[in-house]
Amino acid sequence: MEIDFNKMDGLVPAIIQDAKTLKVLMLGFMNEEAYKKTVETGKVTFYSRTRQTLWTKGETSGNFLHVVSITADCDKDTLLVKAIPDGPVCHTGTDTCWAEVNDNPIMFLTELQRFIEKRHEEMPEGSYTTSLFKDGCHRMAQKVGEEALEAMIEAVADNNERLVYEASDMLYHLIVLLTSKGLSIEDLARELQERHDPNWHKH
């Protein structure tokens, strides 16, 4: 990857983003040596402009940032580093340097989609998801219906805890069904996004 370290006297900004929640965690600076060490160790390493030395995030606190991917922007002078944090990122003890909570449960649906797709590709023995794929479309559709009915029963019974439980089962089986058809939860999100447009008209 080509990086232009010359524009800022040998430094480039490095934006650190949680690879799972997509929350921006912090901003640091890297010189070429810090970048190379980050790549070699898999742990985010910065260049401290104050101390004029390298420092690996977490070397004192234990809250390392484990690299998932690194990309450069269009001008090749800013890095986007996606990483998995071991704990709070800010020295003040907060999850991010903007005091935001690093939590975004909705993003787990994408992670679950990728997991189910991998099951579909590899079909490991002993996996419940594999057994659903092997049973075929009718069985998967039946499971979606069964779980939807159970969710409806709990909703009518005003049992919110059980409603969440059964609706989660329904959503999981729906994602399995979609995957078997070459579709994904993202396809549903795109459809709902289109419907949100004031100019959308029902087909």
Side-chain angles (χ1 to χ4, degrees):
M1 180 169 60
E2 184 182 347
I3 305 171
D4 187 354
F5 287 99
N6 296 319
K7 291 183 181 177
M8 294 182 62
D9 297 324
L11 299 177
V12 295
I15 301 165
I16 313 301
Q17 181 183 39
D18 190 297
K20 291 185 177 181
T21 68
L22 301 186
K23 286 279 189 178
V24 175
L25 302 176
M26 66 175 296
L27 172 70
F29 288 85
M30 293 184 185
N31 60 8
E32 190 167 3
E33 186 182 2
Y35 168 73
K36 288 181 178 178
K37 186 174 181 181
T38 296
V39 173
E40 290 169 1
T41 64
K43 296 177 180 178
V44 175
T45 298
F46 298 108
Y47 178 80
S48 171
R49 294 168 296 168
T50 304
R51 293 179 285 129
Q52 296 189 336
T53 186
L54 299 187
W55 65 284
T56 298
K57 177 64 181 160
E59 60 189 7
T60 55
S61 66
N63 296 329
F64 294 101
L65 292 167
H66 302 277
V67 176
V68 174
S69 66
I70 304 176
T71 53
D73 73 342
C74 54
D75 293 323
K76 304 184 186 306
D77 60 4
T78 302
L79 298 177
L80 175 62
V81 182
K82 292 185 178 180
I84 303 296
D86 278 335
V89 171
C90 186
H91 69 282
T92 63
T94 58
D95 289 351
T96 79
C97 288
W98 291 270
E100 293 182 313
V101 175
N102 185 23
D103 187 27
N104 191 4
I106 197 69
M107 292 305 302
F108 178 72
L109 291 179
T110 297
E111 187 177 345
L112 178 61
Q113 177 68 61
R114 301 291 87 81
F115 175 82
I116 291 174
E117 287 172 354
K118 189 174 182 180
R119 281 286 194 262
H120 193 222
E121 292 170 5
E122 299 176 352
M123 299 290 277
E125 292 296 328
S127 163
Y128 174 67
T129 307
T130 297
S131 70
L132 288 172
F133 286 129
K134 287 183 176 180
D135 287 342
C137 178
H138 289 287
R139 178 56 179 158
M140 287 182 276
Q142 180 186 15
K143 286 298 296 181
V144 173
E146 289 175 358
E147 301 300 344
L149 177 59
E150 290 179 8
M152 181 187 70
I153 291 171
E154 299 301 343
V156 172
D158 203 23
N159 189 337
N160 287 349
E161 184 177 350
R162 292 297 304 177
L163 171 58
V164 169
Y165 184 91
E166 299 299 348
S168 298
D169 279 348
M170 180 191 68
L171 185 55
Y172 158 76
H173 287 93
L174 178 59
I175 295 175
V176 173
L177 177 61
L178 289 169
T179 302
S180 73
K181 295 293 187 180
L183 300 170
S184 70
I185 193 72
E186 288 91 350
D187 290 308
L188 303 192
R190 277 187 285 270
E191 173 67 20
L192 291 171
Q193 187 176 35
E194 289 179 11
R195 294 185 189 187
H196 193 62
D197 188 322
N199 296 318
W200 179 83
H201 296 288
K202 188 175 182 179
H203 301 306

